[in-house]
């Protein structure tokens, strides 16, 4: 079929009639429910469709049908949730767990030149929380867009760790994975490094304080291994399949090469059946 760019809107496309609009709205709501629970791999497309429910067009309807067609062809895909536990670290107990956070941004990808945030949280296998949303302010660089993405998601990252700790879980690592070296440097430094970034509001260095306090660690991750990348923009082919498998728990959320040498992991996985069967 004709290639469709997810974030582009054809202003000349015909508006849907009342019956089609109701069907569109209903099915977008259903997809949002599913994408937030067991199919984060469709969250990027669904996030865009939710912005089109007030004035949907034939182009939007075609995009919706493509998502439904994809789900129909992948209805055997279910979410697998698992914990990767540290077994032999002499400094921690056997019940210790780590939290893996992937946060990314696609710079100026919308028609109004706003960027798009993608983020996901995992305990090792599968996704326990995910986000794909347009940023509410314009940024001047990809580095600033990444900082906004981290700032927007940091509360959920910290809340997840606090929630698990309140349940008696021993959280030993709460790691934020980033693929932008400049963003990592800014977060670790906690202040601007040049005039190009001096205008960034101080609230985006809230994450720097969390790192200094030991509540969060930040680590470099190659773009090809960033699970959140698929939550920021359309990705196709083998790379999309790899990120999808990572989000759904078919493969580790974070590649083995990004773990410390002293960690040995054991998979404890519980599979949630797909609702599409």
């Amino acid at each position: 079929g004709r290639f469709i760019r997810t974030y582009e809107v054809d202003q000349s496309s015909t508006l849907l009639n009342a019956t089609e609009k109701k069907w569109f709205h209903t099915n977008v709501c259903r997809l949002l429910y599913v994408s937030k629970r067991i199919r984060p791999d469709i969250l990027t497309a669904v996030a865009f469709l939710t912005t089109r429910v007030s004035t949907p067009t034939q182009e939007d309807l075609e995009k919706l049908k493509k998502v439904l067609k994809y789900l129909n062809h992948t209805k055997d895909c279910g979410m697998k949730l698992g914990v990767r536990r540290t077994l032999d670290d002499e400094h921690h107990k056997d019940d210790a767990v780590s939290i893996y956070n992937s946060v990314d941004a696609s710079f100026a990808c919308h028609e109004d030149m706003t960027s798009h945030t993608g983020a996901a949280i995992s305990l090792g296998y599968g996704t326990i929380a995910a986000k794909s949303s347009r940023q509410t302010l314009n940024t001047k660089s990809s580095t600033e867009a990444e900082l906004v993405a981290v700032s927007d998601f940091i509360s959920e990252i910290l809340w997840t760790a606090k929630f698990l700790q309140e349940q008696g879980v021993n959280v030993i690592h709460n790691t934020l994975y980033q693929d932008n070296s400049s963003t990592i440097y800014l977060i670790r430094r906690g202040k601007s490094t040049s005039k190009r970034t001096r205008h960034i509001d101080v609230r985006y260095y809230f994450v720097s304080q969390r790192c200094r306090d030991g509540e969060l660690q930040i680590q470099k991750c190659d773009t090809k291994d960033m699970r959140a990348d698929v939550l920021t923009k359309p990705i196709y082919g083998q790379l999309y399949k790899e990120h999808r498998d990572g989000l759904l728990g078919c493969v580790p959320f974070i590649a083995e090469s990004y773990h410390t040498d002293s960690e040995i992991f054991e998979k404890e996985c519980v599979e949630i059946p797909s609702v599409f069967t």
Side-chain angles (χ1 to χ4, degrees), residues 7 10 13 17 19-20 22 33 35 49 75 85 90 98 107 113 142 154 171 224 233 248 250 255-256 269 272 274:
Y7 297 142
D10 183 1
S13 184
N17 60 42
T19 302
E20 292 173 327
K22 182 178 180 180
Y33 179 88
S35 64
L49 292 174
K75 59 184 178 181
R85 299 184 184 276
E90 61 182 5
S98 297
F107 174 61
M113 293 296 103
S142 59
I154 187 66
V171 178
K224 65 179 178 62
K233 58 183 176 293
L248 296 182
C250 300
E256 294 286 351
C269 191
I272 301 176
S274 171

Short mmCIF file of all heavy atoms in Angstrom, two decimals, residues 7 10 13 17 19-20 22 33 35 49 75 85 90 98 107 113 142 154 171 224 233 248 250 255-256 269 272 274:
data_model
loop_
_atom_site.label_atom_id
_atom_site.label_comp_id
_atom_site.label_asym_id
_atom_site.label_seq_id
_atom_site.Cartn_x
_atom_site.Cartn_y
_atom_site.Cartn_z
N TYR A 7 3.15 11.13 11.45
CA TYR A 7 2.88 12.43 12.04
C TYR A 7 2.40 13.48 11.03
O TYR A 7 2.04 14.59 11.42
CB TYR A 7 4.13 12.96 12.75
CG TYR A 7 4.58 12.11 13.91
CD1 TYR A 7 5.94 11.90 14.17
CD2 TYR A 7 3.66 11.51 14.76
CE1 TYR A 7 6.35 11.12 15.23
CE2 TYR A 7 4.06 10.73 15.82
CZ TYR A 7 5.41 10.54 16.06
OH TYR A 7 5.81 9.76 17.12
N ASP A 10 -2.66 15.38 6.12
CA ASP A 10 -3.06 15.89 4.82
C ASP A 10 -4.29 16.78 5.00
O ASP A 10 -5.39 16.29 5.24
CB ASP A 10 -3.36 14.73 3.88
CG ASP A 10 -3.71 15.19 2.48
OD1 ASP A 10 -3.70 16.42 2.23
OD2 ASP A 10 -4.03 14.32 1.63
N SER A 13 -7.46 16.07 2.90
CA SER A 13 -8.19 14.81 3.04
C SER A 13 -9.62 15.07 3.51
O SER A 13 -9.88 15.95 4.33
CB SER A 13 -7.47 13.90 4.04
OG SER A 13 -8.11 12.65 4.13
N ASN A 17 -17.72 11.07 7.86
CA ASN A 17 -19.10 11.39 8.22
C ASN A 17 -19.37 10.98 9.67
O ASN A 17 -18.48 10.40 10.33
CB ASN A 17 -20.10 10.71 7.27
CG ASN A 17 -19.97 9.19 7.27
OD1 ASN A 17 -19.80 8.57 8.31
ND2 ASN A 17 -20.04 8.60 6.07
N THR A 19 -21.14 8.65 11.15
CA THR A 19 -21.03 7.22 11.47
C THR A 19 -19.58 6.77 11.49
O THR A 19 -19.14 6.06 12.40
CB THR A 19 -21.81 6.38 10.44
OG1 THR A 19 -23.18 6.80 10.43
CG2 THR A 19 -21.72 4.90 10.77
N GLU A 20 -18.82 7.19 10.49
CA GLU A 20 -17.40 6.83 10.42
C GLU A 20 -16.62 7.45 11.58
O GLU A 20 -15.73 6.81 12.14
CB GLU A 20 -16.82 7.31 9.09
CG GLU A 20 -17.34 6.57 7.87
CD GLU A 20 -16.85 7.19 6.58
OE1 GLU A 20 -16.68 8.44 6.55
OE2 GLU A 20 -16.65 6.46 5.60
N LYS A 22 -17.73 8.16 14.60
CA LYS A 22 -18.03 7.41 15.82
C LYS A 22 -17.24 6.10 15.86
O LYS A 22 -16.68 5.71 16.89
CB LYS A 22 -19.52 7.13 15.91
CG LYS A 22 -19.93 6.39 17.17
CD LYS A 22 -21.43 6.18 17.24
CE LYS A 22 -21.82 5.43 18.51
NZ LYS A 22 -23.29 5.21 18.60
N TYR A 33 -6.41 1.57 25.11
CA TYR A 33 -6.49 0.66 26.26
C TYR A 33 -5.50 -0.49 26.09
O TYR A 33 -4.76 -0.84 27.01
CB TYR A 33 -7.91 0.13 26.40
CG TYR A 33 -8.11 -0.84 27.54
CD1 TYR A 33 -8.43 -0.39 28.81
CD2 TYR A 33 -7.96 -2.21 27.34
CE1 TYR A 33 -8.60 -1.27 29.87
CE2 TYR A 33 -8.13 -3.10 28.38
CZ TYR A 33 -8.45 -2.63 29.64
OH TYR A 33 -8.61 -3.53 30.67
N SER A 35 -2.84 -0.69 24.01
CA SER A 35 -1.44 -0.26 23.90
C SER A 35 -0.85 0.11 25.25
O SER A 35 0.36 -0.03 25.46
CB SER A 35 -1.33 0.93 22.94
OG SER A 35 -2.02 2.07 23.45
N LEU A 49 -3.10 8.92 16.71
CA LEU A 49 -4.51 8.79 16.37
C LEU A 49 -5.41 9.45 17.41
O LEU A 49 -6.48 9.96 17.09
CB LEU A 49 -4.88 7.32 16.19
CG LEU A 49 -4.26 6.62 14.98
CD1 LEU A 49 -4.58 5.12 15.01
CD2 LEU A 49 -4.76 7.23 13.68
N LYS A 75 -1.46 -11.20 16.27
CA LYS A 75 -2.35 -11.46 17.41
C LYS A 75 -1.78 -12.50 18.37
O LYS A 75 -2.27 -12.63 19.49
CB LYS A 75 -3.73 -11.89 16.93
CG LYS A 75 -3.75 -13.14 16.07
CD LYS A 75 -5.16 -13.40 15.57
CE LYS A 75 -5.22 -14.63 14.67
NZ LYS A 75 -6.59 -14.86 14.16
N ARG A 85 17.17 -10.92 38.19
CA ARG A 85 17.66 -10.77 39.56
C ARG A 85 19.18 -10.97 39.64
O ARG A 85 19.74 -11.83 38.98
CB ARG A 85 16.98 -11.76 40.50
CG ARG A 85 15.46 -11.59 40.58
CD ARG A 85 14.90 -12.55 41.61
NE ARG A 85 13.45 -12.50 41.67
CZ ARG A 85 12.77 -11.60 42.39
NH1 ARG A 85 13.42 -10.70 43.07
NH2 ARG A 85 11.46 -11.62 42.40
N GLU A 90 27.88 -9.96 46.13
CA GLU A 90 28.08 -10.13 47.56
C GLU A 90 27.56 -8.95 48.39
O GLU A 90 27.38 -9.05 49.60
CB GLU A 90 29.57 -10.31 47.87
CG GLU A 90 30.43 -9.10 47.45
CD GLU A 90 31.90 -9.32 47.71
OE1 GLU A 90 32.24 -10.44 48.14
OE2 GLU A 90 32.69 -8.39 47.49
N SER A 98 16.62 -4.75 39.71
CA SER A 98 17.04 -3.51 39.06
C SER A 98 15.91 -3.00 38.18
O SER A 98 15.13 -3.78 37.63
CB SER A 98 18.29 -3.74 38.21
OG SER A 98 19.39 -4.12 39.01
N PHE A 107 13.49 14.74 17.56
CA PHE A 107 13.55 16.20 17.53
C PHE A 107 12.75 16.80 16.37
O PHE A 107 12.91 16.39 15.22
CB PHE A 107 15.01 16.65 17.44
CG PHE A 107 15.20 18.13 17.27
CD1 PHE A 107 14.75 19.02 18.22
CD2 PHE A 107 15.84 18.63 16.14
CE1 PHE A 107 14.93 20.38 18.07
CE2 PHE A 107 16.02 19.99 15.97
CZ PHE A 107 15.57 20.87 16.94
N MET A 113 6.86 21.72 14.62
CA MET A 113 8.27 21.63 15.02
C MET A 113 8.46 21.28 16.49
O MET A 113 9.56 21.47 17.03
CB MET A 113 9.03 22.92 14.70
CG MET A 113 9.17 23.21 13.21
SD MET A 113 10.17 21.94 12.35
CE MET A 113 8.90 20.98 11.52
N SER A 142 18.38 18.77 19.51
CA SER A 142 18.04 17.41 19.92
C SER A 142 18.44 17.17 21.37
O SER A 142 17.76 16.44 22.10
CB SER A 142 18.75 16.40 19.00
OG SER A 142 20.16 16.57 19.05
N ILE A 154 10.75 11.72 34.53
CA ILE A 154 11.53 11.40 35.72
C ILE A 154 10.65 11.08 36.92
O ILE A 154 10.98 10.22 37.74
CB ILE A 154 12.50 12.56 36.06
CG1 ILE A 154 13.44 12.18 37.21
CG2 ILE A 154 11.75 13.83 36.38
CD1 ILE A 154 14.40 11.07 36.87
N VAL A 171 15.40 -2.58 45.72
CA VAL A 171 15.81 -1.99 44.44
C VAL A 171 17.26 -1.53 44.56
O VAL A 171 17.57 -0.60 45.30
CB VAL A 171 14.91 -0.80 44.06
CG1 VAL A 171 15.39 -0.18 42.75
CG2 VAL A 171 13.46 -1.24 43.95
N LYS A 224 20.72 1.97 18.48
CA LYS A 224 20.11 0.75 17.98
C LYS A 224 19.55 -0.13 19.10
O LYS A 224 18.73 -1.01 18.84
CB LYS A 224 21.12 -0.05 17.16
CG LYS A 224 22.32 -0.57 17.96
CD LYS A 224 23.28 -1.36 17.09
CE LYS A 224 24.49 -1.85 17.87
NZ LYS A 224 24.13 -2.76 18.97
N LYS A 233 8.98 7.64 17.05
CA LYS A 233 8.77 7.85 15.61
C LYS A 233 8.56 6.50 14.92
O LYS A 233 8.87 5.45 15.49
CB LYS A 233 9.98 8.54 15.00
CG LYS A 233 11.29 7.79 15.19
CD LYS A 233 12.46 8.57 14.63
CE LYS A 233 13.80 7.88 14.89
NZ LYS A 233 14.15 7.85 16.32
N LEU A 248 8.02 -6.27 24.47
CA LEU A 248 7.07 -7.32 24.83
C LEU A 248 7.69 -8.42 25.68
O LEU A 248 7.00 -9.32 26.13
CB LEU A 248 6.46 -7.93 23.57
CG LEU A 248 5.62 -6.99 22.70
CD1 LEU A 248 5.04 -7.74 21.50
CD2 LEU A 248 4.50 -6.35 23.50
N CYS A 250 10.11 -10.63 24.80
CA CYS A 250 10.60 -11.82 24.08
C CYS A 250 12.13 -11.92 24.17
O CYS A 250 12.69 -13.01 24.08
CB CYS A 250 10.17 -11.77 22.62
SG CYS A 250 8.38 -11.71 22.38
N ALA A 255 20.30 -4.94 26.49
CA ALA A 255 21.27 -5.95 26.06
C ALA A 255 22.25 -6.28 27.18
O ALA A 255 22.57 -5.45 28.03
CB ALA A 255 22.03 -5.45 24.83
N GLU A 256 22.74 -7.51 27.19
CA GLU A 256 23.67 -7.98 28.21
C GLU A 256 24.91 -7.10 28.31
O GLU A 256 25.49 -6.93 29.38
CB GLU A 256 24.09 -9.42 27.90
CG GLU A 256 22.97 -10.44 28.00
CD GLU A 256 22.58 -10.73 29.44
OE1 GLU A 256 23.30 -10.27 30.34
OE2 GLU A 256 21.58 -11.40 29.67
N CYS A 269 9.95 -15.38 34.50
CA CYS A 269 9.05 -14.78 33.53
C CYS A 269 7.64 -15.33 33.67
O CYS A 269 7.44 -16.53 33.80
CB CYS A 269 9.58 -15.04 32.12
SG CYS A 269 8.75 -14.10 30.85
N ILE A 272 1.60 -13.16 29.88
CA ILE A 272 0.21 -12.74 29.88
C ILE A 272 -0.36 -13.05 28.49
O ILE A 272 0.13 -12.52 27.50
CB ILE A 272 0.09 -11.24 30.16
CG1 ILE A 272 0.72 -10.92 31.52
CG2 ILE A 272 -1.36 -10.80 30.11
CD1 ILE A 272 0.74 -9.44 31.84
N SER A 274 -2.31 -13.07 25.00
CA SER A 274 -2.77 -11.99 24.17
C SER A 274 -4.29 -11.91 24.17
O SER A 274 -4.99 -12.91 24.19
CB SER A 274 -2.28 -12.18 22.72
OG SER A 274 -2.89 -11.24 21.86
#
